[in-house]
């Protein structure tokens, strides 16, 4: 029996047809995977289902064989449709209990908060998702994995019927992913239908029942996971065969950056390495190994307690990102949604934010220079749609990542640090980002790639540093395998 059905759902934005006659059904009590390249229309479809966006006339959504009118998020919640987005959409300044249950009070339009009921509902939901946390702890102080569980618990207080999970594992360790999948299976057993959006093939085939593919805003196919292969699925997604290219390992001998004995209590210890001109240096390890904290120290975002950084053989001081930019560093952060972009601002403003001084005409910013710069980088990095005044938050994940990279390329860096460069983007966009990074390094740029995706670091990096418990425990080059890297990172 279908719990949800899309019938001829379309959505148009000015100059863009985001969805075109999407029709497929989701059965009750299944994990239905929604997959497609960035820009395929997945996010738009989810926003229509949750009442964030309205569909074009003629579009229909049916719930339990009845046509549903979803004109707002409140309408969606009343129908038991809840989404957990990639950024979780939690309030860091509120407690765990408040994040889980306060929205329920709002949707009921109560003028006085019933704190006793709220706490009871929140604690029941926490128990269901096995969330072990102080109910009164601020969400800002809990781990990413626990934030994910808070977001799921929040969904449960609404008597959820259809739970949408958008890239739920993008920031989780393998152990945390397994815990999340156990919870998904429990929810399914309790009668909840899951729409699971992911680009990770191994996860799709582990947790999914049915898989629906979208491409360029159109419905392509729905198949049971047992009736389709990974290669077939990728070809349906991108419209062509895609291979994970492994680039030739290059041996560089011209050091540009040297880090010596960098330490910060509870973050990392005795970090020493060299980065050569034109080299791609990979940094990998388990979540919590200190990778991000280490590169943030190099960029001036996380001041170390001791140690030294040398650029072209000269010791430099990097106490802030301003210092780093002066020394021609660029930094693409792990979380592009909250750290890399201003979601409500235009593509043009985001592209130009790091080079405003260069775009001045006298004491004022030149609109001509800003437009020319944005158009230049949109063309160079194939950012689509080519609508510079569109809010960057409306772009697909892959195009948003290109905007973040372009923003830093505009500063003409010698050293580019990219943290999880392809997290939450599809395989076709990954291929393009990998090709871009190699082209930049071929042009002489030195790049540090922090990634937890082992095929990625093996594919594009010339050397790989492996971190464990805040220390570099090994270095590998040509011939490195996933098994060898994991052994060094774990044992």
């Amino acid at each position: 029996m279908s719990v949800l059905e899309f019938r001829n759902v379309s959505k148009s934005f000015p100059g863009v047809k985001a969805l075109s006659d999407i029709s497929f059904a989701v059965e009750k009590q299944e994990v239905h995977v929604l997959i497609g390249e960035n820009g395929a229309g997945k996010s738009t479809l989810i926003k229509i289902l949750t009442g964030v966006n309205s569909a074009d006339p003629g579009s229909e959504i049916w719930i339990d064989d009845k046509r549903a009118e979803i004109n707002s998020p409140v309408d969606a919640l009343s129908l038991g449709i809840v989404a957990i987005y990639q950024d979780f959409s939690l309030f860091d300044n509120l407690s765990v209990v408040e994040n889980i249950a306060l929205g329920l009070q709002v949707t009921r339009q109560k003028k006085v908060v019933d704190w006793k009921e709220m706490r009871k509902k929140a604690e029941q939901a926490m128990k269901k998702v096995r969330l072990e946390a102080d109910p009164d702890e601020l969400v800002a102080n809990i781990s990413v994995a626990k934030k994910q569980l808070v977001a799921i618990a929040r969904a449960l207080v609404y008597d959820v019927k259809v739970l949408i999970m958008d890239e739920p594992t993008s920031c989780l360790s393998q152990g945390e992913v397994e815990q999340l999948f156990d919870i998904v299976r429990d929810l399914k057993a309790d009668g909840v239908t899951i729409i699971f959006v992911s680009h990770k093939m191994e996860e799709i085939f582990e947790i999914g029942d049915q898989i629906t593919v979208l491409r360029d805003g159109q419905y392509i196919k729905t198949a049971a996971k047992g009736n389709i292969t990974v290669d077939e699925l990728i070809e349906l997604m991108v419209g062509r065969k895609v291979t994970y290219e492994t680039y030739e390992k290059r041996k560089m001998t011209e050091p540009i950056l040297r880090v010596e004995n960098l330490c910060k209590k509870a973050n990392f210890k005795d970090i020493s390495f060299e980065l050569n001109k034109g080299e791609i240096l990979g940094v990998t390890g388990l979540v919590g190994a200190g990778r991000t904290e280490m590169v943030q120290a190099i960029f001036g975002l996380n001041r170390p307690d001791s140690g030294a950084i040398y650029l072209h053989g000269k010791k430099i001081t990097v106490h802030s990102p301003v210092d780093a930019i002066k020394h021609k560093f660029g930094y693409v952060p792990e979380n592009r949604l909250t750290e890399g972009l201003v979601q409500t601002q235009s593509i043009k403003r985001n592209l130009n934010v790091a080079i405003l001084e260069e775009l001045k005409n006298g004491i004022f910013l030149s609109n001509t220079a800003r437009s020319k710069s944005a158009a230049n980088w949109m063309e160079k990095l194939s950012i689509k749609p080519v609508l510079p005044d569109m809010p960057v938050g409306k772009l697909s994940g892959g195009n948003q990542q290109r905007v973040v990279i372009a923003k830093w390329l505009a500063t003409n860096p010698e050293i580019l640090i990219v943290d999880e460069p392809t997290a939450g983007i599809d395989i076709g966009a990954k291929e393009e980002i990998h090709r871009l990074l190699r082209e930049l390094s071929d042009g002489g740029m030195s790049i540090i790639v922090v990634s937890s995706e082992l095929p990625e670091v093996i594919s594009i990096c010339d050397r790989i540093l492996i971190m464990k418990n805040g220390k570099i425990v090994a270095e590998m080059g040509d011939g490195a395998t996933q098994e060898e890297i994991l052994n060094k990172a774990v044992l």
Side-chain angles (χ1 to χ4, degrees):
M1 176 184 172
S2 298
V3 67
L4 167 66
E5 187 178 356
F6 297 97
R7 297 184 184 177
N8 305 116
V9 174
S10 298
K11 178 62 180 177
S12 300
F13 295 102
V16 180
K17 185 78 170 178
L19 294 174
S20 182
D21 293 324
I22 302 295
S23 297
F24 68 92
V26 178
E27 300 302 310
K28 186 175 182 179
Q29 236 173 325
E30 73 174 6
V31 178
H32 195 109
V33 176
L34 188 60
I35 192 169
E37 285 195 284
N38 292 105
K42 306 183 301 295
S43 295
T44 303
L45 190 64
I46 288 169
K47 287 176 181 176
I48 289 171
L49 181 58
T50 54
V52 175
N53 287 340
S54 57
D56 291 347
S59 305
E60 296 181 4
I61 295 175
W62 289 65
I63 306 290
D64 292 332
D65 293 327
K66 295 179 183 177
R67 184 172 177 180
E69 294 293 334
I70 305 176
N71 299 313
S72 70
V74 173
D75 290 342
L77 289 172
S78 68
L79 291 166
I81 300 167
V82 184
I84 301 171
Y85 293 104
Q86 205 170 337
D87 63 352
F88 307 144
S89 299
L90 299 174
F91 296 97
D92 280 349
N93 61 327
L94 297 182
S95 70
V96 170
V97 163
E98 289 166 336
N99 268 279
I100 291 172
L102 196 56
L104 189 63
Q105 302 285 322
V106 174
T107 54
R108 291 177 177 175
Q109 297 182 339
K110 290 189 174 183
K111 293 182 179 179
V112 178
V113 175
D114 186 337
W115 291 101
K116 188 176 180 181
E117 182 199 25
M118 191 170 81
R119 192 175 190 88
K120 181 181 176 183
K121 288 271 189 184
E123 289 180 345
Q124 287 172 346
M126 288 173 68
K127 187 175 180 181
K128 271 193 174 183
V129 300
R130 308 170 202 170
L131 173 55
E132 294 179 3
D134 180 353
D136 298 312
E137 181 67 80
L138 291 181
V139 161
N141 299 332
I142 66 176
S143 69
V144 171
K146 287 185 177 180
K147 286 180 181 180
Q148 176 76 266
L149 297 180
V150 169
I152 297 172
R154 181 181 58 189
L156 297 185
V157 302
Y158 291 107
D159 298 322
V160 61
K161 182 182 292 182
V162 177
L163 178 62
I164 304 158
M165 306 182 82
D166 187 8
E167 298 289 351
T169 66
S170 59
C171 296
L172 303 184
S173 69
Q174 186 57 43
E176 291 162 349
V177 170
E178 290 169 4
Q179 181 187 3
L180 175 65
F181 283 0
D182 285 341
I183 292 167
V184 168
R185 293 183 187 103
D186 289 347
L187 293 172
K188 178 181 165 183
D190 288 342
V192 178
T193 299
I194 315 287
I195 295 179
F196 193 92
V197 181
S198 179
H199 293 110
K200 296 182 179 180
M201 293 296 165
E202 68 279 7
E203 294 178 0
I204 288 168
F205 281 88
E206 180 179 347
I207 198 66
D209 297 311
Q210 297 282 329
I211 305 169
T212 289
V213 181
L214 301 183
R215 186 173 76 231
D216 297 330
Q218 297 184 323
Y219 170 80
I220 302 299
K221 185 175 183 176
T222 297
K225 71 174 178 182
N227 296 335
I228 195 166
T229 67
V230 171
D231 288 343
E232 288 170 341
L233 195 55
I234 291 170
E235 192 168 349
L236 288 172
M237 283 172 56
V238 302
R240 58 186 168 83
K241 293 194 179 211
V242 175
T243 56
Y244 221 135
E245 183 175 356
T246 299
Y247 294 89
E248 180 185 356
K249 305 303 175 194
R250 304 161 299 184
K251 293 192 182 296
M252 311 298 190
T253 56
E254 187 183 340
I256 184 173
L257 175 72
R258 187 169 86 251
V259 175
E260 286 189 356
N261 302 316
L262 215 61
C263 299
K264 178 158 187 178
K265 188 177 180 182
N267 280 219
F268 48 81
K269 186 177 181 182
D270 296 330
I271 299 295
S272 297
F273 66 88
E274 286 187 345
L275 173 68
N276 295 299
K277 183 176 175 63
E279 180 180 38
I280 300 182
L281 178 65
V283 180
T284 192
L286 301 180
V287 173
R291 304 165 306 171
T292 294
E293 292 83 355
M294 183 263 285
V295 293
Q296 285 180 337
I298 295 170
F299 193 69
L301 286 165
N302 184 27
R303 190 180 293 195
D305 299 326
S306 60
I309 300 172
Y310 296 85
L311 186 65
H312 297 297
K314 296 180 180 179
K315 188 175 180 180
I316 62 171
T317 300
V318 186
H319 286 163
S320 70
V322 173
D323 292 338
I325 293 167
K326 285 178 181 176
H327 290 300
K328 290 192 168 292
F329 286 81
Y331 175 61
V332 177
E334 179 180 10
N335 192 332
R336 62 178 173 266
L337 298 176
T338 58
E339 298 172 351
L341 298 168
V342 183
Q343 295 283 316
T344 56
Q345 294 297 317
S346 68
I347 299 169
K348 178 166 67 178
R349 286 192 170 187
N350 275 277
L351 284 169
N352 291 330
V353 70
I355 56 166
L356 294 178
E357 286 298 319
E358 298 174 25
L359 302 176
K360 283 185 176 179
N361 183 4
I363 62 171
F364 298 105
L365 286 173
S366 166
N367 286 329
T368 302
R370 289 168 61 212
S371 297
K372 187 176 179 180
S373 172
N376 174 48
W377 287 109
M378 291 184 79
E379 181 181 358
K380 278 188 176 180
L381 270 71
S382 301
I383 296 166
K384 297 174 183 177
V386 187
L387 299 171
D389 294 316
M390 175 197 243
V392 77
K394 291 187 178 294
L395 292 178
S396 67
N399 279 297
Q400 286 186 6
Q401 189 71 321
R402 290 188 187 98
V403 172
V404 183
I405 293 172
K407 174 180 75 175
W408 289 108
L409 293 183
T411 67
N412 192 30
E414 280 190 280
I415 298 170
L416 182 66
I417 302 167
V418 287
D419 195 349
E420 299 291 358
T422 61
I425 65 177
D426 64 79
I427 194 164
K430 281 184 181 183
E431 183 186 42
E432 293 168 5
I433 296 291
H434 292 169
R435 189 182 302 117
L436 171 64
L437 294 175
R438 288 294 294 206
E439 287 172 357
L440 292 170
S441 68
D442 286 341
M445 191 178 295
S446 302
I447 302 173
I448 299 174
V449 173
V450 178
S451 178
S452 51
E453 292 199 25
L454 299 186
E456 179 166 76
V457 292
I458 291 170
S459 169
I460 65 171
C461 298
D462 299 301
R463 287 186 298 132
I464 303 165
L465 303 179
I466 302 159
M467 291 189 67
K468 177 186 174 184
N469 297 330
K471 293 183 177 182
I472 295 173
V473 294
E475 178 184 317
M476 292 186 176
D478 197 11
T481 66
Q482 293 189 52
E483 185 178 6
E484 288 171 333
I485 293 172
L486 273 174
N487 283 339
K488 296 291 185 183
V490 175
L491 300 179

